[in-house]
Amino acid sequence: MSRYLCSLFLTLLLGLSTSLAADKLRMGCVTFAKEQTRQAFSQMRDYLARDLAMEVTLSCHTSYAGIIRDLVDDKLDAAMLSPLVLLKTQSARRMRPVAYGIFRSSGYFSYKSVILVAQNAPFVSLADLKGKRVAFVDPNSTSGYHIPRRALQRAGVKLGDLKKVEFLGNHVDAVKALMEGRTDAAATFEDLVERNATLTKHRKKVRRLWTSNFVIPADCFATTTQVPLRVRKKLRSSLLAYFAAQRDGSAEKNSLYEGFVPGDPTLYDELKKFLGPGM
């Protein structure tokens, strides 16, 4: 009887813990566009807290490795993840995709990787970057490292062939290094220069040397498997309603995301194929 009561108590305790956990959502993001990112995700947090009627906290990470670590260590319940970070996190801790962001800059739930150079630079192809300085974003960045690195390799330029390789932590600082002449090329995503307030006034200083020939799936809002199904369903409904909420003024206009759409996991197939094994 005592063993039965102990088992019953543990069951009730676990049930209570799940119910309490459902009243708070710990959400994370990576500040890939610095302050613009912080503002956009703070707006999203406020919207979700109101719509879900629960406490939503936001942790802003300066590195992709940091957000992966916090998800694996159960310090976060949900996060907005770039494609490669989602795939890497999945290998350590299973994540459940909820919805995919629609970028305000393009109106699409996809984007492309670009390599920028100075407007007056003599480079005409990626092969011309051999022996030059290249600024990347982060070792786990999809558009800011992995795709451009593979593109350079296919053009016959290995990392060891470059004069200098830098990881500047976010897309804005990578492009600023180019604009200020501290590097010869910068890897980033399309439309950043046109849309970021810090960079747009200097956009005529740079041009695209290379653009990826396939689209990259947009960032995915995903939760850990410990988030209850009913909460995931509410989250999905809230995110899919985000576009309308911004249109009717019930949510503040988000500078990064117009809204969200249901995701199709097969969108990642082309990215996996391009990056190859050991991505």
Side-chain angles (χ1 to χ4, degrees):
M1 177 64 73
S2 60
R3 184 176 298 176
Y4 168 77
L5 289 174
C6 182
S7 174
L8 180 61
F9 174 77
L10 287 173
T11 301
L12 290 171
L13 183 61
L14 287 172
L16 180 59
S17 298
T18 302
S19 136
L20 288 173
D23 293 332
K24 180 177 180 179
L25 187 76
R26 300 168 300 171
M27 168 181 157
C29 73
V30 176
T31 53
F32 59 85
K34 297 188 78 174
E35 289 310 309
Q36 184 182 13
T37 321
R38 293 178 188 275
Q39 180 186 15
F41 281 98
S42 294
Q43 292 168 340
M44 192 184 303
R45 174 203 58 205
D46 294 344
Y47 163 73
L48 288 175
R50 287 195 308 271
D51 204 57
L52 298 172
M54 68 166 59
E55 182 183 356
V56 179
T57 60
L58 175 65
S59 298
C60 294
H61 295 69
T62 56
S63 74
Y64 295 89
I67 201 166
I68 293 173
R69 184 171 57 250
D70 278 4
L71 285 165
V72 172
D73 292 345
D74 194 30
K75 294 180 179 178
L76 292 173
D77 305 306
M80 196 73 176
L81 302 174
S82 66
L84 190 64
V85 175
L86 176 61
L87 293 173
K88 285 196 169 191
T89 307
Q90 288 282 32
S91 65
R93 175 165 194 176
R94 190 176 174 193
M95 300 293 294
R96 296 189 183 278
V98 177
Y100 296 76
I102 304 171
F103 292 111
R104 181 168 298 284
S105 59
S106 65
Y108 296 114
F109 60 98
S110 60
Y111 62 104
K112 291 185 177 183
S113 175
V114 298
I115 293 180
L116 304 177
V117 295
Q119 186 66 246
N120 59 356
F123 314 130
V124 295
S125 72
L126 291 180
D128 294 331
L129 294 180
K130 188 173 287 190
K132 305 302 178 184
R133 303 165 297 170
V134 178
F136 294 106
V137 174
D138 183 284
N140 286 304
S141 174
T142 307
S143 62
Y145 177 58
H146 282 273
I147 289 179
R149 182 200 64 176
R150 192 58 55 91
L152 284 165
Q153 289 174 343
R154 292 184 177 188
V157 183
K158 298 178 182 177
L159 291 184
D161 296 327
L162 299 173
K163 181 179 180 180
K164 185 178 183 181
V165 172
E166 283 188 286
F167 292 101
L168 295 182
N170 62 79
H171 292 266
V172 174
D173 285 342
V175 177
K176 278 181 67 178
L178 173 62
M179 290 178 167
E180 294 170 1
R182 292 182 282 115
T183 189
D184 299 304
T188 185
F189 61 89
E190 63 178 344
D191 296 335
L192 173 72
V193 174
E194 291 80 6
R195 298 292 177 177
N196 184 272
T198 305
L199 303 174
T200 189
K201 57 186 175 183
H202 303 297
R203 64 184 181 278
K204 292 183 179 179
K205 290 184 177 182
V206 300
R207 62 179 171 85
R208 294 187 190 185
L209 178 66
W210 169 88
T211 304
S212 61
N213 59 3
F214 68 94
V215 297
I216 307 164
D219 297 347
C220 175
F221 194 100
T223 70
T224 66
T225 54
Q226 286 183 287
V227 174
L229 177 60
R230 64 181 181 84
V231 176
R232 288 202 308 274
K233 285 182 175 180
K234 287 173 66 177
L235 253 177
R236 185 175 185 274
S237 295
S238 291
L239 291 171
L240 296 184
Y242 195 34
F243 178 82
Q246 292 182 71
R247 286 287 299 272
D248 66 23
S250 57
E252 192 175 354
K253 182 178 177 181
N254 192 291
S255 61
L256 284 178
Y257 301 103
E258 269 192 1
F260 287 81
V261 294
D264 179 0
T266 62
L267 291 173
Y268 288 76
D269 293 346
E270 198 171 4
L271 174 63
K272 292 182 197 177
K273 183 179 178 182
F274 181 84
L275 294 175
M279 58 186 176

